[in-house]
Amino acid sequence: MTDSNHIIAPSLQHTLDNFKDCIDLTHRTFPEINVHLVYFDHLINSDELYRYITPLTEAREYEIQNLLIRSQYQLALDSDTVIKGILYGKIAIFHKDDTYLVDAYKPEARSIDASQTETVITGPHDSFTEPALSNLSLIRSKIKSSHLKVIKLEVGEISKTDLYILYIDGLANMDYVKELVERIELIEVDAVHDGNMLIQYIDDFPNSIFPLFSTSERPDTAISKLVAGKIIGILDGSPSVFTAPSSFFEFFASPDDYYQRWILGTATRLLRFAALVITLTFTALYVSVTTFHYEMIPEALLLTLTESRSRVPFPPIYEALLMELTIELLREAGARLPTKIGQTIGIVGGIVIGQAAVQAGLTSNVLIIAVASSAIASFVIPSYVMSASIRLVRFGLIILAGTLGDLGIAMGIAYIVIHLCGLTSLNTSYITPVAPSYFNDWRDVFIRAPLWAMRDRPSQSNTPNKVKMKQKK
Amino acid sequence: MREKLHPFHIAILIYMTQSGVVIFSLPRVLAQHMGYNGWIALTVFYVIVALNISLISLAYRLADGKSIFQIIEHFFPKIAVIPLYIFLLTLWMMIGCISAKRYIIIYQIFVFPTTHPMLIKILVDTLAFLLIIKGIYNISKAATVFFWLVIWTILLLLFFLHDFQWINLTSFYFHESSDIVTGSFRIFTAFLGYELILLLFPYAEKRKGVMKAVHIGNLLTFLTYILVCLVCYGFYSFDQLKRMKFPMLDLLAYIEFPFVERIENLIFSLYLFTSLIGIVMYCWSALEAAQRILPKANVKWLAAIIMAVAYVVSWVPTVLVEVDAWLQYLGQIEIGVAFGLPLMLLLFLLLQKRRDEPYIDYNEPS
């Protein structure tokens, strides 16, 4: 490492020494004009390279000096700048004793594509990709305002990954911006690879099972958060941008809600909260009822249930855990395999295992329905991270239901509520707007009110400019 | 910055502290002591509680955000008031732990006759401990969420619109009432919990709405009680009501959906939430008193010790009758505290006001 106080004059030899054993470094020489070029081929755009270099190669040696005083060639005065420049996709030009840098950065990147994890039916389909600057351009092109401010930070002691913090001046609460920047500056780790990884370094409760900052791959979501007075962070190399602060209920909203008519949006929102209840409690209730509370089942249904349960040799809790585990195995296998094989896994799991397990007398039909419904319900939750957290919580509830019945479920829910109440996201309550209660915000949480009725920004942003829409008379 | 409690959350907190499993037996107690149409008597209790809250609001106005402990210590050296604090600590801790035991014993009678209640209690106490150490602000947040998880059960009363018979209410008022004084104490304890607002003075937002919120919380409790009792009086005959241990449980057992019936266990399980807030609020109050005695002690340890002692104490009463008797005695003492403490505070505050008033010499020309 070079001492920052000690400036070393740039030289070709020193630069090459620094990149010793870097086989991907390109070093080209032009002896007739006494010019050396050093760069990483894969970080630069070859068209740019030729645009800058052709004038030099076509000139005579005494003309080179005059060409290099053009503004695109920056004179570098210390070796550190040169090395950093090369790492950031610049071409270093060594001519006699002088060193120049010229920017030709354009790394290989995939094109902007539709989001795979956050699909919508209507509305824009573009999603973020890995390069931060391309993501930044997606946002800039949609918010044409000089109030959109960007702070550039670096995370990773070795990786030096760029992180851009975006907020809208006058809408975002500057205390939150300051707090977020402070937290990021405190991170001391070798490398951070993804936005979802970064938020684990900066959230308020790293040990909580729930994600405390929401992440998204969609520019429209990111923009809606920005104009709601929230802060977003774009990490270079990650297609997911994070939002801070976030609330628990934010994870149940999808951009689709706003692109449909409000009644449909509301119905979908309510369906998602019903899905939350189903995924948390359905299997647990099955276990509880079949272990302790048979009286809850009406007589007509009881016959079907007992018949289906009669061949099963295990207590309901083992039966349920076995099936839930199988579903999780199938899901994990499906997620890691290519789409075509994933489909096969679905068929194998759904039909073969499900059907065979019932026929073999390992589980009951009704349980298969309960487990499948709660698994489907868990996929209704738009955020994959939240859905995964809730699926894990469900196992706890099933065990509690198997030991204490309905009371166990109530205890489990009480524990979840107590845990959620203690959580904060960037020092704001995680369960806003339920507690503290902001009933105005309920119009965009539990329902999706007509657009004209949602006039205020969410309270969680604590924004200096509360009104987002003025009604024209 | 420490967050302050908004009046809305205070109203919910008071409601959740007041109401609890007592709602399941209240109609029977009313029938036994207040006789025919005993549900109307609830209005009297509501008014008395409202008057008591008004008394507290006078103290609140004069206290100007000071805690009751600060007010008391202004007059007496700390060492002199420690016995009072120990008394309050013990009382609140006992109410907390015995009401938890009551909930658990009722549950045990119905569902787990062979399970030792103390096994279940350790789980409930752990939940209470986890909430207490999070502080009053988070307790109020939890109370709000629990409120929404429980309040909808009131809608189940709509099922009885069809079977409710006005004739069951009869035209007699308080006929066949017996032992009114004892009964009144028993019924009054169902409203207890509002007096803990005394401890919330320093935590409440300095707004006018705080005491109004307490009144609203109390009104909500009253409305819930009177609705449930009215439905019970109209659904059962008077003699039935007098003999049923938990009329509301039987009421819930009557409801039938096409896919589920006998939901009383499920609903009673949900009442864990209201019971939990009751337990937590009383134990939190005990913790506040304990912190005043030992200001340097670690809060988490102090809470753990209180919960542990409460757990040990709750081993003593073993059956529901004993637990009810204990709660009765403790409730009567708490009624004394509910009226006595604000009166004492008012006295102190008025004395302090007089003492702190600048001396004006009227003889001196202005």
Side-chain angles (χ1 to χ4, degrees):
Chain A
M1 285 273 156
T2 330
D3 186 352
S4 57
N5 296 324
H6 183 65
I7 295 170
I8 301 170
S11 73
L12 177 65
Q13 199 49 48
H14 185 255
T15 311
L16 292 176
D17 284 349
N18 242 294
F19 287 110
K20 202 178 140 201
D21 295 334
C22 294
I23 203 160
D24 53 342
L25 188 81
T26 310
H27 174 202
R28 288 175 69 178
T29 47
F30 299 88
E32 63 281 7
I33 46 168
N34 199 10
V35 164
H36 294 260
L37 302 180
V38 178
Y39 55 87
F40 281 109
D41 200 24
H42 47 80
L43 285 184
I44 62 156
N45 182 349
S46 51
D47 290 347
E48 295 276 294
L49 172 73
Y50 290 115
R51 197 157 69 86
Y52 293 126
I53 299 311
T54 315
L56 297 178
T57 51
E58 285 173 355
R60 289 157 194 258
E61 211 211 320
Y62 63 87
E63 291 170 334
I64 300 284
Q65 203 62 47
N66 291 337
L67 284 170
L68 286 171
I69 55 172
R70 288 183 186 174
S71 63
Q72 64 263 42
Y73 305 102
Q74 296 156 1
L75 184 66
L77 295 173
D78 73 299
S79 189
D80 239 20
T81 317
V82 175
I83 290 161
K84 216 171 171 183
I86 294 170
L87 286 168
Y88 276 77
K90 290 181 178 172
I91 304 165
I93 304 167
F94 295 90
H95 177 248
K96 292 183 183 164
D97 289 338
D98 291 336
T99 309
Y100 298 87
L101 290 172
V102 57
D103 196 2
Y105 181 66
K106 194 173 187 194
E108 292 302 320
R110 66 184 170 100
S111 59
I112 293 167
D113 225 336
S115 173
Q116 296 295 316
T117 51
E118 294 169 65
T119 44
V120 292
I121 296 151
T122 46
H125 290 281
D126 57 345
S127 75
F128 290 124
T129 57
E130 284 76 11
L133 287 174
S134 130
N135 295 344
L136 204 54
S137 75
L138 277 175
I139 291 179
R140 272 267 181 231
S141 64
K142 286 171 182 164
I143 298 186
K144 295 177 191 73
S145 164
S146 59
H147 288 281
L148 173 65
K149 306 292 179 195
V150 183
I151 300 171
K152 188 182 173 191
L153 300 165
E154 243 175 25
V155 285
E157 300 294 303
I158 294 176
S159 68
K160 304 278 182 208
T161 317
D162 288 338
L163 171 67
Y164 298 90
I165 299 295
L166 279 71
Y167 64 92
I168 295 183
D169 194 23
L171 296 188
N173 186 317
M174 289 314 287
D175 290 342
Y176 296 164
V177 177
K178 215 174 121 208
E179 168 77 25
L180 188 67
V181 170
E182 273 171 15
R183 284 190 196 179
I184 291 164
E185 280 169 348
L186 284 176
I187 304 173
E188 277 189 28
V189 67
D190 289 348
V192 180
H193 314 293
D194 187 70
N196 283 310
M197 183 180 171
L198 176 77
I199 56 175
Q200 294 176 55
Y201 287 107
I202 54 171
D203 66 13
D204 311 33
F205 293 89
N207 294 332
S208 172
I209 192 169
F210 296 104
L212 298 180
F213 293 135
S214 70
T215 50
S216 175
E217 288 190 2
R218 299 180 52 83
D220 55 343
T221 308
I223 289 159
S224 72
K225 305 287 181 204
L226 276 172
V227 296
K230 298 196 173 179
I231 310 158
I232 71 164
I234 304 175
L235 184 75
D236 193 30
S238 162
S240 4
V241 304
F242 69 87
T243 311
S246 298
S247 86
F248 176 73
F249 303 98
E250 228 173 282
F251 293 87
F252 295 87
S254 158
D256 246 351
D257 304 348
Y258 301 94
Y259 305 142
Q260 297 181 41
R261 310 293 298 171
W262 75 269
I263 298 176
L264 289 172
T266 300
T268 324
R269 282 261 166 101
L270 293 176
L271 187 73
R272 285 200 204 109
F273 286 106
L276 170 69
V277 176
I278 291 171
T279 191
L280 269 179
T281 59
F282 212 50
T283 315
L285 266 177
Y286 169 86
V287 173
S288 161
V289 167
T290 49
T291 314
F292 299 102
H293 308 291
Y294 261 114
E295 77 280 0
M296 283 173 72
I297 304 160
E299 205 180 330
L301 202 63
L302 192 64
L303 288 174
T304 325
L305 187 70
T306 40
E307 194 188 320
S308 135
R309 279 268 316 136
S310 60
R311 289 184 61 215
V312 184
F314 317 117
I317 180 169
Y318 294 119
E319 189 193 356
L321 285 176
L322 186 77
M323 280 324 285
E324 285 284 355
L325 198 67
T326 314
I327 292 261
E328 287 303 305
L329 285 173
L330 284 170
R331 187 197 51 75
E332 188 59 20
R336 305 278 158 254
L337 285 169
T339 326
K340 283 179 183 163
I341 307 176
Q343 282 171 358
T344 324
I345 288 286
I347 296 165
V348 173
I351 300 170
V352 181
I353 297 186
Q355 190 74 21
V358 174
Q359 277 175 3
L362 291 178
T363 56
S364 67
N365 279 324
V366 184
L367 176 74
I368 297 275
I369 296 167
V371 170
S373 331
S374 58
I376 292 168
S378 80
F379 296 118
V380 172
I381 298 163
S383 160
Y384 178 77
V385 192
M386 178 56 88
S387 156
S389 305
I390 286 169
R391 272 205 308 275
L392 192 59
V393 169
R394 189 172 61 190
F395 278 90
L397 280 182
I398 293 172
I399 294 170
L400 278 169
T403 41
L404 283 171
D406 290 349
L407 184 66
I409 300 176
M411 279 183 181
I413 291 172
Y415 178 71
I416 297 169
V417 170
I418 292 170
H419 176 70
L420 284 173
C421 287
L423 295 179
T424 53
S425 172
L426 210 63
N427 299 338
T428 61
S429 168
Y430 188 52
I431 48 166
T432 310
V434 171
S437 307
Y438 298 109
F439 293 108
N440 263 342
D441 291 2
W442 285 32
R443 281 182 283 192
D444 193 18
V445 169
F446 296 109
I447 60 166
R448 205 285 272 164
L451 294 174
W452 55 262
M454 296 191 286
R455 291 182 192 175
D456 294 336
R457 289 177 227 284
S459 307
Q460 196 185 23
S461 321
N462 216 345
T463 165
N465 183 353
K466 192 100 180 93
V467 182
K468 77 170 174 188
M469 189 184 76
K470 281 181 190 148
Q471 193 79 2
K472 279 184 186 164
K473 295 260 164 103
Chain B
M1 192 191 83
R2 196 171 66 181
E3 294 104 330
K4 297 271 180 177
L5 298 179
H6 186 272
F8 175 77
H9 294 285
I10 291 180
I12 301 275
L13 197 58
I14 293 296
Y15 169 75
M16 292 296 279
T17 315
Q18 282 185 299
S19 62
V21 281
V22 70
I23 198 169
F24 288 89
S25 55
L26 189 63
R28 188 233 322 151
V29 178
L30 278 169
Q32 282 173 344
H33 295 285
M34 298 295 157
Y36 283 90
N37 279 321
W39 58 277
I40 297 171
L42 283 173
T43 324
V44 180
F45 294 98
Y46 165 70
V47 172
I48 298 172
V49 172
L51 285 175
N52 194 353
I53 294 171
S54 305
L55 192 70
I56 296 173
S57 63
L58 272 179
Y60 172 74
R61 225 173 280 166
L62 290 173
D64 196 29
K66 283 198 285 281
S67 80
I68 56 164
F69 304 115
Q70 279 173 320
I71 300 167
I72 296 171
E73 283 166 28
H74 190 78
F75 278 87
F76 298 103
K78 200 167 177 184
I79 195 88
V81 287
I82 282 181
L84 174 70
Y85 291 172
I86 293 176
F87 162 72
L88 289 175
L89 186 161
T90 319
L91 177 67
W92 288 329
M93 181 188 76
M94 297 270 278
I95 294 179
C97 73
I98 302 295
S99 57
K101 178 103 187 204
R102 183 164 199 269
Y103 175 80
I104 289 156
I105 287 196
I106 298 175
Y107 206 94
Q108 189 230 355
I109 290 170
F110 283 97
V111 187
F112 301 113
T114 53
T115 312
H116 200 286
M118 295 312 280
L119 261 177
I120 307 172
K121 186 161 190 296
I122 200 159
L123 294 174
V124 175
D125 282 4
T126 310
L127 283 176
F129 170 74
L130 288 173
L131 190 50
I132 291 167
I133 56 169
K134 286 195 159 67
I136 188 67
Y137 185 68
N138 286 326
I139 294 174
S140 90
K141 275 160 73 181
T144 312
V145 179
F146 287 147
F147 172 77
W148 294 115
L149 290 177
V150 169
I151 196 70
W152 64 270
T153 53
I154 296 292
L155 293 178
L156 290 173
L157 293 178
L158 290 175
F159 280 90
F160 298 95
L161 275 181
H162 182 68
D163 294 303
F164 182 90
Q165 289 188 351
W166 289 102
I167 200 154
N168 279 340
L169 295 182
T170 72
S171 55
F172 299 100
Y173 292 94
F174 310 123
H175 186 69
E176 281 192 31
S177 55
S178 65
D179 221 354
I180 290 185
V181 180
T182 322
S184 299
F185 277 112
R186 286 181 78 179
I187 297 160
F188 199 92
T189 51
F191 283 89
L192 281 178
Y194 66 90
E195 74 285 359
L196 297 184
I197 184 68
L198 283 166
L199 289 147
L200 297 178
F201 287 176
Y203 300 98
E205 272 181 18
K206 277 190 182 169
R207 297 190 188 202
K208 278 183 181 171
V210 174
M211 291 320 283
K212 206 195 263 178
V214 184
H215 277 292
I216 292 172
N218 181 41
L219 180 69
L220 214 55
T221 311
F222 164 68
L223 288 177
T224 317
Y225 284 173
I226 207 157
L227 259 175
V228 170
C229 294
L230 176 68
V231 170
C232 282
Y233 264 87
F235 184 72
Y236 298 115
S237 73
F238 180 69
D239 281 329
Q240 265 181 314
L241 201 55
K242 258 175 43 175
R243 287 191 180 83
M244 284 175 150
K245 194 81 184 145
F246 301 103
M248 195 182 154
L249 270 184
D250 296 313
L251 207 64
L252 291 169
Y254 181 76
I255 299 172
E256 276 182 14
F257 292 99
F259 47 89
V260 69
E261 57 186 38
R262 297 282 308 276
I263 52 168
E264 76 275 17
N265 282 325
L266 197 65
I267 305 296
F268 194 73
S269 303
L270 285 183
Y271 271 77
L272 169 74
F273 303 151
T274 53
S275 302
L276 196 61
I277 294 296
I279 300 161
V280 165
M281 278 309 289
Y282 275 104
C283 290
W284 173 81
S285 306
L287 179 67
E288 285 281 291
Q291 269 181 290
R292 210 65 200 181
I293 302 169
L294 301 164
K296 283 181 187 159
N298 181 313
V299 182
K300 282 186 184 173
W301 275 108
L302 218 50
I305 293 167
I306 289 176
M307 294 311 289
V309 174
Y311 184 74
V312 173
V313 171
S314 55
W315 274 90
V316 182
T318 46
V319 288
L320 194 57
V321 183
E322 279 175 17
V323 170
D324 276 346
W326 276 51
L327 263 185
Q328 205 42 52
Y329 293 132
L330 291 168
Q332 283 169 10
I333 302 170
E334 184 66 5
I335 293 171
V337 170
F339 282 94
L341 205 54
L343 275 175
M344 187 175 84
L345 289 177
L346 264 179
L347 185 74
F348 287 168
L349 286 164
L350 286 172
L351 278 174
Q352 188 185 342
K353 208 179 170 194
R354 181 169 285 183
R355 205 163 68 177
D356 294 348
E357 252 174 24
Y359 174 74
I360 303 165
D361 191 349
Y362 293 101
N363 295 326
E364 203 172 281
S366 54

